[in-house]
Amino acid sequence: MAEPPEFWSFLVANSLLFIAGGALTALSYRAYLRVQEHSLRLASGGFALITLGGLLDIIYQLGIRRDYHLGGRESLALQTIDSLLITAGLVVIFYALSRY
């Protein structure tokens, strides 16, 4: 059965998020290794949390549940966890920048 275009746009958007988030995480961690500045290591952790928060949908829906049709409560719970991970990542980056 062919998947709808919304599925493919969901897959492409999450793939781009993984590439951009992974690149930012790797770049900040490489900068930490070069300079040994603790705040850069914290920033790489923040970028990793943001990337994980953004990718949690696809990990859960296609990796764990193996279905992209979610109920209302399940979708709300997933969005809440997404938002908490993204918020935690932003707080870590804010803390890292304030310590730099």
Side-chain angles (χ1 to χ4, degrees):
M1 181 176 165
E3 301 296 342
E6 294 85 6
F7 171 79
W8 294 108
S9 62
F10 174 72
L11 199 61
V12 167
N14 278 284
S15 298
L16 292 173
L17 174 68
F18 176 71
I19 292 167
L24 277 170
T25 302
L27 185 65
S28 60
Y29 189 71
R30 286 182 60 202
Y32 159 72
L33 291 176
R34 186 175 51 247
V35 184
Q36 294 296 314
E37 180 66 41
H38 181 67
S39 62
L40 290 171
R41 187 173 69 170
L42 284 173
S44 65
F47 287 126
L49 282 172
I50 291 171
T51 304
L52 177 63
L55 292 177
L56 191 62
D57 290 336
I58 200 163
I59 292 169
Y60 177 75
Q61 289 177 308
L62 300 180
I64 297 172
R65 194 162 187 271
R66 300 201 186 280
D67 185 19
Y68 56 88
H69 298 291
L70 299 178
R73 294 181 83 175
E74 195 173 26
S75 178
L76 188 60
L78 190 58
Q79 288 176 4
T80 301
I81 295 169
D82 285 349
S83 295
L84 288 173
L85 282 170
I86 291 170
T87 301
L90 289 172
V91 166
V92 169
I93 291 172
F94 176 81
Y95 179 71
L97 290 174
S98 68
R99 289 185 45 111
Y100 185 70

